[in-house]
Amino acid sequence: MTFIVRQIAVTADGREIIRANPYADESIVIGRSAENAIHLPDLAVNPQHAEFVRRDHDHIIIKSLSGQGFALDGQQRQEITIVPAWGGVVGLGG
């Protein structure tokens, strides 16, 4: 399975810049540390904040590595299993 991560930045005039990056690993870590697959340079994000782990072809486990948690579709979580085909918005830090 390949994770496709879309990072969205908004310019000063309101345009969105979307960058899609594929990751062919079984899991990816998100956090402030530059060694992570997804690096978020935000002080509200821990160095190893959360991990996405492929459980099978139909499920992904998202779990907090820092205890700080994350938001999925606006609801705070520590761990959850999702179905990628349904989609969702994950929020970390600010």
Side-chain angles (χ1 to χ4, degrees):
M1 170 188 255
T2 299
F3 290 98
I4 298 174
V5 178
R6 291 183 181 94
Q7 293 178 306
I8 303 169
V10 180
T11 64
D13 63 355
R15 291 181 300 119
E16 287 186 348
I17 299 172
I18 301 172
R19 294 179 183 92
N21 298 308
Y23 295 91
D25 300 326
E26 293 292 315
S27 68
I28 56 175
V29 176
I30 300 170
R32 196 172 64 237
S33 177
E35 295 89 34
N36 296 327
I38 302 172
H39 171 239
L40 300 174
D42 181 342
L43 292 177
V45 175
N46 286 328
Q48 278 90 25
H49 197 103
E51 181 178 29
F52 285 50
V53 180
R54 182 185 95 152
R55 192 175 92 193
D56 54 41
H57 290 292
D58 296 326
H59 297 89
I60 294 175
I61 299 168
I62 305 172
K63 59 184 174 181
S64 171
L65 298 176
S66 65
Q68 188 175 0
F70 56 90
L72 178 68
D73 294 332
Q75 295 183 345
Q76 288 297 313
R77 307 285 186 171
Q78 288 291 318
E79 183 172 325
I80 192 165
T81 300
I82 65 167
V83 177
W86 296 348
V89 177
V90 177
L92 294 91

